[in-house]
Amino acid sequence: MTDRAASDMIDFSYFPGCSMATTSKECSLSLIQACKYLGLNLIELDDWNCCGSSSAHCLDIQLGFELSVRNLTLAPANRPLVVMCPSCFRNLRQAKHHLAASRKLQESVARRYDNLVAGKLDIIHFLSVVGQMDMEKLQEKAVWSLHKIKIAPYYGCMLAGPPPFKPQQGDSFCIERMLEAFGARIVLWPNIRWCCGTFLTASKPDVARDAVNQIMESAVASGADCLVTACAMCQINLEMRCTLEKKIPVLHFSEILAIAMGADEEQWNTWFRYHLVDPRPLFAKLEAAS
Amino acid sequence: MSGNIDILHEQGRGKSFSDEIRILCGVNISTCLQCRTCASVCPFYEAMGHAPHTLFRKIQYGLRQDVLTSSAIWICVGCNTCASQCPAGIDIVAVMDVLRQLALETNMPIPEEDILNFHREVLHSIERYGRTHKLEIMLRYKIKSGHLLADLDTGMIMLAKRKLDLRPSRVHAVNEIKRLFKKTWQET
């Protein structure tokens, strides 16, 4: 499949976050590939910084806010800001929410930054970008059929967000709707939003291991060949902390999307070499979409 | 504190513990129904030892030290599973953030030193590079916590798979980041 002409592309600002830049490069690479197929032009925020992850708001709420706000001031108001990491998404959205609610914070930020667009800025997770697309059109554009693969969709917890945020339109079944469009078989299983343990993986590995094993065990029991997740943190925790003998690969949402839309074996092998549980056997005999 | 319930006493003095929390984060925990929904959905209830509703009851009773020295406020990862189900619509994670901050500001003993050390190393890395350099965070954390050999195999696999970069990804305007840092989280 050839890339579209630049004039047809829709522009988005893009906040990668530390995981995309380092520990989950395959997620970022496959996202960029998927966006080419979808006609989305991701423009990375210039000189973005870490959103504070979990640690900033855990120790210093004000610092967490400030780290996120600096990123918001880097984004032009005339295009939405797409975020791939659910934890970054939560932090950036929370900062915008706090800013909107307080004149004092607005004045403080306006004194220090030229570009105070946060109030008007549309912050959107990539999953919602896909969720708002016409799935029939997506189906028409599919190059590979996933009908031989059984998939457990796994959202993780971070997209849920605190009470001020209602789930965005199309979010609840977005992974299922997309996978269905590509012909995949979707399994029913109980832990679609169960937390993987996030940062406890470093400081309380036993607690994270128990959470991860519970998730993996139920996905395996459901008969799935792999999990597809919207969260890079979940992906790495599930691969790294699972101590069960029977494990199945954990794919990023962007990888399965890019594959179905036309990536070739050489491309997906460059993503899969970063995986700790090898997904290549799953895609060895893909058939063309009809 | 051994069940020394002094809520009336505290109210007599002015602000109660729950008032203080409401002022700090705008969340009113006096609407907690004690329905235990948070306890039944929390993925880490067992490790935390207290579910949010227990902490909230103690806050309502003014048991300040009991709450601020609990492991629960540190083990909570802020996954929002409880808050998304809470029938009273309480932003539980915002309260947890405030409780941790109060514990640090009032120099309470922190029972979960490893978690605190890990967070400090993450912030140290952000202050230095503007982004998290995960290899350095894990090495510094392991030296500080004394768990140098734990997880060595996982670390080697991560290195071999090139998931841990040797060099950090950096912000050019790192001075802008340094200015955002206050002293509150740093060790004295």
Side-chain angles (χ1 to χ4, degrees), chain A residues 149-221:
Chain A
I149 306 176
K150 276 197 280 184
I151 298 178
Y154 177 54
Y155 290 83
C157 65
M158 285 289 170
L159 288 168
F165 304 109
K166 300 245 183 322
Q168 294 190 344
Q169 196 188 353
D171 279 358
S172 303
F173 294 102
C174 173
I175 300 183
E176 287 89 335
R177 284 166 54 235
M178 181 197 83
L179 292 174
E180 202 174 32
F182 296 140
R185 286 184 285 166
I186 299 155
V187 301
L188 281 174
W189 71 300
N191 286 318
I192 56 168
R193 288 183 191 273
W194 197 249
C195 174
C196 71
T198 83
F199 63 79
L200 295 177
T201 198
S203 43
K204 281 220 171 279
D206 293 357
V207 176
R209 178 203 60 208
D210 290 350
V212 159
N213 282 351
Q214 184 186 335
I215 294 164
M216 183 59 83
E217 197 168 23
S218 67
V220 170

Side-chain angles (χ1 to χ4, degrees), chain A residues 44-90:
Chain A
E44 186 170 323
L45 288 190
D46 186 33
D47 212 29
W48 58 270
N49 59 273
C50 172
C51 68
S53 186
S54 295
S55 299
H57 71 82
C58 273
L59 300 196
D60 186 336
I61 300 164
Q62 182 67 25
L63 175 64
F65 171 78
E66 290 290 348
L67 286 168
S68 288
V69 158
R70 179 179 176 275
N71 290 312
L72 299 184
T73 65
L74 301 174
N78 59 358
R79 54 178 184 250
L81 174 63
V82 168
V83 187
M84 188 58 172
C85 167
S87 178
C88 301
F89 175 62
R90 181 194 63 178

Side-chain angles (χ1 to χ4, degrees), chain A residues 94-113:
Chain A
Q94 189 114 2
K96 178 189 161 183
H97 177 76
H98 286 316
L99 201 54
S102 162
R103 183 172 293 248
K104 208 172 129 195
L105 285 179
Q106 287 163 22
E107 286 168 1
S108 153
V109 173
R111 269 198 302 277
R112 289 172 292 140
Y113 296 100

Side-chain angles (χ1 to χ4, degrees), chain B residues 46-65:
Chain B
E46 214 172 293
M48 282 166 67
H50 286 83
H53 79 282
T54 323
L55 291 175
F56 289 179
R57 196 61 173 160
K58 288 187 172 183
I59 293 168
Q60 289 166 356
Y61 279 15
L63 301 173
R64 194 185 168 90
Q65 179 140 2

